[in-house]
């Protein structure tokens, strides 16, 4: 396998990226989690596209591994199983609906709270999937739930 990586150096992962697993296996599993840069990252495959994000929801540390994927306002979101917060897969924005009482009749509209969940970049290289860690300076709200101390507290519950 090493020979192959050298032979196709144009298709090698960025140096700072982390190996997640074999593409076939992730497609079959649908989702995997892996420690990346000492945080839990969820990698999922949906409609032919790989996505990567912090595994714990920005709201309260819900387990996005079990979240459904649905479209809201034309945007693909993962829905946290704990309190149903909706997070866009591409940007990590929190979406919510609100009603303007001045509007007659009031009609719920989708709005964004901005980026709340740290999204990472899933990269396909040949048969493998890598994640490039998103080290954009934060904090991004999901950061507080990805630490080892949070994981230890969650395990103890
Ligand atoms: Fe995800 Fe509350 S923890 S919605």
């Amino acid at each position: 396998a090493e020979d192959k990586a050298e032979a196709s150096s144009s298709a090698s992962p960025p140096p700072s990226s982390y190996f997640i697993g074999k593409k076939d296996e992730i497609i079959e599993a649908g989702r995997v989690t892996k420690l990346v840069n000492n945080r839990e990252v969820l990698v999922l495959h949906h409609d032919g596209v790989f996505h990567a994000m912090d595994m714990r929801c920005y709201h309260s540390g819900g387990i996005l591994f079990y979240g459904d994927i649905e479209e809201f306002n034309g945007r693909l979101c993962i829905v946290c199983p704990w309190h149903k917060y909706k997070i866009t897969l591409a940007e990590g924005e929190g979406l919510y609906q609100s009603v303007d009482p001045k509007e007659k009749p009031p009609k719920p509209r989708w709005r964004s709270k901005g980026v709340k969940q740290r999204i990472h970049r899933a990269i396909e290289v040949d048969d493998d999937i890598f994640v490039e860690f998103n080290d954009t300076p934060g904090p991004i709200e999901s950061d507080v739930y990805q630490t080892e101390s949070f994981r230890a507290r969650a395990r103890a519950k």
Side-chain angles (χ1 to χ4, degrees), residues 57-64 80-87:
C57 170
Y58 74 89
H59 172 228
S60 215
I63 299 170
L64 294 182
C80 178
W82 285 14
H83 316 99
K84 308 292 176 204
Y85 278 29
K86 294 148 187 63
I87 302 168

Side-chain angles (χ1 to χ4, degrees), residues 15-148:
S16 58
S17 58
Y18 295 74
F19 175 70
I20 302 299
K22 290 276 165 209
K23 195 161 143 180
D24 291 356
E25 289 171 15
I26 298 173
I27 291 173
E28 202 183 322
R31 300 168 176 205
V32 295
T33 61
K34 191 109 176 175
L35 275 188
V36 168
N37 206 14
N38 200 33
R39 38 208 289 168
E40 254 179 309
V41 167
L42 168 65
V43 177
L44 61 85
H45 180 256
H46 180 82
D47 273 353
V49 180
F50 290 90
H51 301 271
M53 69 201 72
D54 283 353
M55 204 282 279
R56 293 280 180 165
C57 170
Y58 74 89
H59 172 228
S60 215
I63 299 170
L64 294 182
F65 185 87
Y66 298 116
D68 291 334
I69 294 178
E70 287 176 51
E71 203 173 292
F72 298 95
N73 207 22
R75 301 173 76 186
L76 271 184
C77 294
I78 191 158
V79 182
C80 178
W82 285 14
H83 316 99
K84 308 292 176 204
Y85 278 29
K86 294 148 187 63
I87 302 168
T88 65
L89 291 181
E91 305 85 2
E93 283 178 45
L95 296 189
Y96 69 105
Q97 274 191 309
S98 75
V99 171
D100 178 355
K102 292 195 290 281
E103 208 179 349
K104 300 280 183 254
K107 189 171 177 290
R109 297 195 186 277
W110 286 102
R111 298 182 201 279
S112 171
K113 303 183 217 174
V115 174
K116 299 290 185 179
Q117 192 77 17
R118 199 174 277 272
I119 299 295
H120 307 287
R121 193 159 79 94
I123 306 166
E124 299 181 41
V125 179
D126 300 329
D127 299 331
D128 298 327
I129 299 298
F130 293 81
V131 158
E132 187 174 38
F133 185 76
N134 168 8
D135 61 0
T136 304
I140 294 178
E141 279 184 38
S142 65
D143 289 347
V144 293
Y145 297 110
Q146 324 303 326
T147 61
E148 174 52 33

